[in-house]
Amino acid sequence: MIGIDLIKTSRMKGFIERFGEKALMRFLSPSEIELVKNHKTASGFWAAKEACAKALGVGISSECGFYDMQIYKTENGAPKLKVSDKLLKRFSILDISLSITHDGDYAIAVVAIESTPAYKIK
């Protein structure tokens, strides 16, 4: 299963300027907020969570909320995605890959999810 999302970083900049840290708290955990360097980083994290929800075929919803997904970084600084036990079980997830990139005023994220053969998106 693959999901992709694109966000114009100026949208995130305006969101943060208007609501401050509360904007970040809407979709990021405290440990994720610590990783945010600027509005472009925050945009990439938003895109990553949206892409994950799209890969699962449910979008951001009661089935898959922002806090069901956790972004962290490896020792080399590569972004990784961890999902809640609820999502692991519900979608029979075996592995998740995440890629985030920025170009100009855009952030793009792609998430690939491997699930057990028995699971199929409805």
Side-chain angles (χ1 to χ4, degrees):
M1 302 177 288
I2 297 174
I4 187 169
D5 194 66
L6 167 78
I7 180 172
K8 193 166 187 178
T9 59
S10 59
R11 282 184 51 216
M12 183 60 65
K13 183 177 182 182
F15 186 47
I16 294 169
E17 286 173 352
R18 184 168 179 195
F19 298 105
E21 191 168 321
K22 286 185 180 183
L24 298 176
M25 292 168 52
R26 182 173 184 269
F27 68 100
L28 297 174
S29 69
S31 62
E32 291 171 309
I33 291 172
E34 287 180 20
L35 298 174
V36 173
K37 298 175 184 170
N38 53 45
H39 69 281
K40 290 185 177 189
T41 306
S43 297
F45 284 14
W46 176 280
K49 291 188 176 196
E50 287 280 352
C52 181
K54 290 174 181 179
L56 295 173
V58 295
I60 300 297
S61 63
S62 60
E63 287 183 85
C64 177
F66 284 118
Y67 292 108
D68 286 317
M69 300 165 277
Q70 176 85 27
I71 297 167
Y72 65 98
K73 294 204 173 183
T74 66
E75 289 180 13
N76 296 331
K80 296 294 234 172
L81 190 61
K82 179 181 177 184
V83 296
S84 66
D85 288 341
K86 174 182 95 172
L87 293 183
L88 284 173
K89 292 175 188 171
R90 164 77 172 85
F91 297 99
S92 301
I93 296 171
L94 298 174
D95 194 25
I96 299 176
S97 297
L98 167 64
S99 181
I100 301 172
T101 192
H102 300 82
D103 188 15
D105 197 30
Y106 292 93
I108 302 165
V110 176
V111 172
I113 298 175
E114 180 185 357
S115 63
T116 60
Y119 179 77
K120 293 181 184 174
I121 294 179
K122 297 174 184 175

